Amino acid sequence: LFSRAYSSFTNTGDTSQFENFKRAEAWWLDNFAFYQFLKDRFNDKPWYQWPRQYKLHDPKAMKELAGEPGIDQVKWLQFVFAGQWAALKAYCNKKDITLLGDMPFYISYDSVDVWANPQLFKIDKNGKIKGIAGVPPDYFSATGQLWGMPVYDWDRLKHSGYDWWFGRIRRNLQFFDLIRLDHFRAFSEYWEVPGGSKDAIGGSWEPAPGRDFFEKLKNDLGNLPFVAEDLGQIDEKVYQLRDAFNLPGMRVLQFAFDEAMPVSEHIPHNYPVNSFAYTGTHDNNTVRGWFDNDIDSKTKKRLRRYAGVKLGSDNINKVMTRMCYASVAKAAIVPLQDLLALDESARMNTPSSIEGNWLWMMQGEMLPGKLAKYLRNLTTLCNRQC
């Protein structure tokens, strides 16, 4: 169907907008088209298993590819998507709806970015990872999390003026009004695990550019429309970096009800105004699944004492949503699964697992008409009207 649509488009005679798009976006689009074309040619094998001239991004091989008819079709699909997204964003913004994007910190090993810019990542001359991204043992995993992506070569990035990073951010800001910077702590320090490791225990904290990066980014953008994902093993330097640029952090209700509840940074009475409050994130269970399966009787007792009402599977989502909305945090975010009181089967992602994630999909019939009224009333009650 894509091929037929592309053929129909090229036969219309007017391709001027497409040609303008190709010229304006050539800095990323050319390599993306080569990468997608080669992925198809080599049956979706990762780039580091391609023939050597393609694996190493040989300029002569790339020049020969440029004339392949399938290259422009890949670019055209990006052109169509960009136009559709721009129309959607314009419609949302006209309705006073702001789009919050989510930018992963790291890039997949098998990606166009790593393939086309190997000098910016810790991989050797043959494409093998020398430094793997992850985090040490934490709340989610006793052996840490080994993510499988190569860490950045920050010395080379700094020498280039962070051009690749800034281009990536500018492109995302064409799609979104505000961006959540995932794994924000890695802008201060990052956990690097030696290549070939089976888990993340043997890694070490390595310095990242921190303030230098954000000072130059602010000079480039003029302002910093970001939310800092400041969760996990965070030290004072990360908070200082976040606050130096007045970035809102994150507060997650599901983390609030352990033994340190009264002084927890995730309990609503301790929220700073400059924060985003969540019932849970994409890495958490749904609120209902968390209540039914993940917490013990002592945690439930603390939760009941704090809520001041009887709690069960039938109302925990509404109680937690109200806590989130009633906090002083500048924004309240509630996953749709929690608004719909869905159980653990609707969980989005389980960290450190590689199967069964990112499969849940919202269907239109799931949304009851009364949900809009409920949210409108809660928004008015808690003065969350922008």
Side-chain angles (χ1 to χ4, degrees), residues 5 65 80 111 170 175 186 190 203 217 258 277 291 303 342:
L65 278 181
V80 172
S111 67
R170 284 193 297 269
F175 295 138
Y190 60 94
L217 182 58
D258 59 15
F291 183 83
L303 177 54
L342 300 181

Side-chain angles (χ1 to χ4, degrees), residues 204-348:
S204 59
W205 288 113
E206 301 295 334
R211 291 197 179 203
D212 183 68
F213 178 91
F214 285 100
E215 285 169 357
K216 288 182 170 60
L217 182 58
K218 189 173 183 179
N219 288 336
D220 185 79
L221 296 179
N223 68 324
L224 298 176
F226 305 125
V227 178
E229 188 269 292
D230 52 351
L231 306 175
Q233 293 192 9
I234 306 299
D235 60 19
E236 187 59 30
K237 288 186 293 185
V238 179
Y239 293 134
Q240 290 174 358
L241 178 63
R242 179 198 66 193
D243 295 343
F245 296 93
N246 199 35
L247 304 180
M250 292 174 58
R251 298 294 181 268
V252 182
L253 272 174
Q254 287 191 32
F255 296 156
F257 300 99
D258 59 15
E259 296 86 348
M261 181 185 74
V263 296
S264 170
E265 63 181 3
H266 294 287
I267 201 73
H269 60 254
N270 289 330
Y271 289 177
V273 173
N274 193 29
S275 64
F276 277 42
Y278 294 71
T279 53
T281 74
H282 56 269
D283 285 334
N284 294 100
N285 204 339
T286 66
V287 161
R288 182 175 175 179
W290 169 78
F291 183 83
D292 287 345
N293 303 291
D294 295 353
I295 59 176
D296 58 23
S297 59
K298 291 182 179 179
T299 304
K300 288 183 179 180
K301 182 177 180 180
R302 286 189 290 268
L303 177 54
R304 290 190 183 99
R305 287 180 62 200
Y306 193 80
V309 296
K310 291 183 178 181
L311 297 176
S313 301
D314 59 338
N315 73 337
I316 184 61
N317 66 308
K318 287 192 173 182
V319 170
M320 295 278 275
T321 297
R322 181 177 286 262
M323 283 186 197
C324 195
Y325 267 65
S327 73
V328 298
K330 68 190 300 182
I333 296 183
V334 181
L336 192 57
Q337 293 98 315
D338 292 346
L339 292 174
L340 298 176
L342 300 181
D343 63 19
E344 62 278 3
S345 64
R347 181 171 185 162
M348 193 71 76

